[in-house]
Amino acid sequence: MTSSSIDVDALVAQAPRSAGALFRWRVAQTPTKEAFRYPDADDRWVSIDWTETRRRVDAYAAGLLALGLQPEQRVAIVANTRIEWILTDYAINCAGGATTTIYPNTQGADFAHIVTDSGSVILIAENDEQIAKLDSSVDAERQIRHIVVFDGEGDGERVLTLDQLAERGRALLASDPEAVDRAIASIQLDDLATLIYTSGTTGMPKGVELTHRCWVYQAVVLNEMGLISPRALQYLWLPLSHVFGKDLLTIQLGIGFSTAVDGRIDHIVSGLGETHPNFMCGAPRIFEKVRAAVMLSSPQGGVKGRIARWAFAVGRASREYRLADRSLPPAMRLAYAVADRLVFSKLKDRVGGSIDFFISGSAKLSSQVQAWFYSAGLMVAEGYGLTETGAVSCVNLPLPVRFGTVGPVLPGTELQIAADGEILVKGPAVMRGYHNDPERTAEVLVDGWFHTGDIGVLDADGFLTITDRKKDLMKTSGGKYVAPAKVESVIAATIPYVSQVVAVGDGRKYISALLTMDRDNLAKWAARHNLADVDYSELTQSPELRKTIDRFMNAANGKLERWETVKKFAILPTELSVDDGGVTPNMKIRRKVVTERYAEVVASLYEEESVGIE
């Protein structure tokens, strides 16, 4: 079915009226089909069907009602991605409440602000460490009436384990079997379902109010588009406190595929090999790390090295045919089959052997990384959306995709480019507003159009390309505008040792960069240079490493326009982190914080003003 033939209004009108009703609908559609699989305490994968999922969700939902949860009252979840997060989130919506999501690495004032500003009355926490964060704020501690803990002991009163919450729920259902049914029936499309705080690069996080309409709309539309098979298995590791991860849970309800869930990032590769999923979503950095790891572990010399280089040359030559859905010439078809057998099949096996496609979101994906995967027969499709637009506004599916674009807008959502290039979005998934902040809401929501702050262009077929953030554009002293995101993306894709990149140069004669190193890949480099006993901080400042990075930087500059090239760079002795304020909880770099903290380092990159770009 084509996007233009989908009657979105009719779909939503006929759909369940809330996220809780959507969950119940899914259970009724496929009661015995696998819903989730997850690792148990012994790291063995356990599978549950939709009927068992409902049994647990209903018990937790009734437990929340027994604790006095009222319609649209907020319940905060602060935990890593795991099956319990999913079940309690479904339970909150089935009880008529709204989920406040908190990143587990959120600290101090930000944590207290989210709890108090959201008005959350119940806290669902992963462990005692998360509960202890309440101690930093008298107001937050006083506001939370009950705590539910995944891993820890409960007192049976204010602090409950999940089992104790379920016991209270079963007791309520024994006396009032329709309690959860009534709660679900009381919620309507425009009621609050989820409150997600965007960890902005400046100021306190803003609470984005997403309604049940947002989730129901995306679930039914993406199902109608037929982009993902109901028989597919998803591998889910993304933070569920992020809108992208949360949205995947809703899309699953609409389509009915199964999900293997494990939020431990260091288990992704082993998890893919054990579960053999058909698709996985991720942020660009994950795909950059996979590519870098493969490149660094591949032999550079000898027969194996020559075979690998030949295989990727064949893959590059085949791309234009495959992207245009044209048959390969006979000789190329044979060569690609050999390349696949000798090289590409090993990469595919490494990611489970059954991947149909990956989806990248939350930041711009390097077309260089995308092309590398596609050469090997693995498609990384890019999507686009923000927390304020319910995660998915555009998606570059079905295959084949258009490299460098995020695809066309979803049916039922409107998109336009303002005179200054800013992307504006209107549709059912757009937020209701910022919680308790009508002024900032009025700044970004004008006549229903959300002003994204992103700069982009639409091609003749309606495919969107993101070029940069409106506020991030730099202007050199020579009058050239430079998009730092482009420079940073090229560097990250070209230099396998790099972890984080901050391009600088606003008002300067040329562009420079601050770099941090990926610890795992730096360790591999150190071992090859007989520096394995040197610690991370010392390694980052070693002349030998600088020579290596300098060679890669020259290669990166070859992919940039002359005025975008990086003339100088500095390697920082530590990675930027949430704790030091250098990145947000969802790992976006706080450019202003970083450049102010390392102002002397930045200044040193411009001590010699003789270097020019004109």
Side-chain angles (χ1 to χ4, degrees), residues 420 455 467-487 504-511 560-565 613-614:
D420 61 358
I455 302 295
T467 57
D468 205 68
R469 288 289 293 171
K470 184 176 178 179
K471 294 180 180 179
D472 284 345
L473 284 174
M474 300 186 296
K475 187 179 183 181
T476 67
S477 59
K480 296 288 189 180
Y481 282 98
V482 176
K486 177 185 176 183
V487 176
V504 296
D506 194 31
R508 305 279 194 168
K509 287 182 67 176
Y510 54 87
I511 303 301
L560 295 167
E561 300 293 345
R562 182 167 51 90
W563 58 87
E564 297 171 325
T565 56
I613 62 171
E614 299 303 326

Side-chain angles (χ1 to χ4, degrees), residues 77 79 81 85 101-104 196-197 238-246:
I77 303 179
T81 294
W85 202 112
T101 71
I102 307 179
Y103 284 93
I196 300 179
Y197 280 77
L238 282 167
L240 296 175
S241 40
H242 188 281
V243 69
F244 193 10
K246 165 65 181 171

Side-chain angles (χ1 to χ4, degrees), residues 57 62 95 119 125 160 210 236 343 372 389 393 426 444-445 528 607:
V57 167
L160 305 174
L210 297 173
L236 178 59
V343 178
W372 183 87
T389 65
S393 299
K426 177 190 281 189
V444 297
L445 269 179
R528 288 199 297 272
E607 286 176 353

Side-chain angles (χ1 to χ4, degrees), residues 497 499-500 502 513-519 522 534-542 545-546 569-577 580 594 597-602 604-605:
Y497 303 104
S499 171
Q500 297 155 320
V502 182
L514 303 178
L515 312 176
T516 69
M517 298 292 107
D518 181 276
R519 289 182 178 273
L522 185 58
V534 181
D535 68 23
Y536 173 90
S537 182
E538 286 185 63
L539 280 174
T540 62
Q541 305 308 307
S542 70
L545 177 65
R546 185 165 187 90
F569 64 88
I571 303 174
L572 302 181
T574 59
E575 288 187 277
L576 307 173
S577 69
D580 67 17
V594 174
R597 177 176 301 138
Y598 292 100
E600 291 185 9
V601 176
V602 173
S604 72
L605 299 173

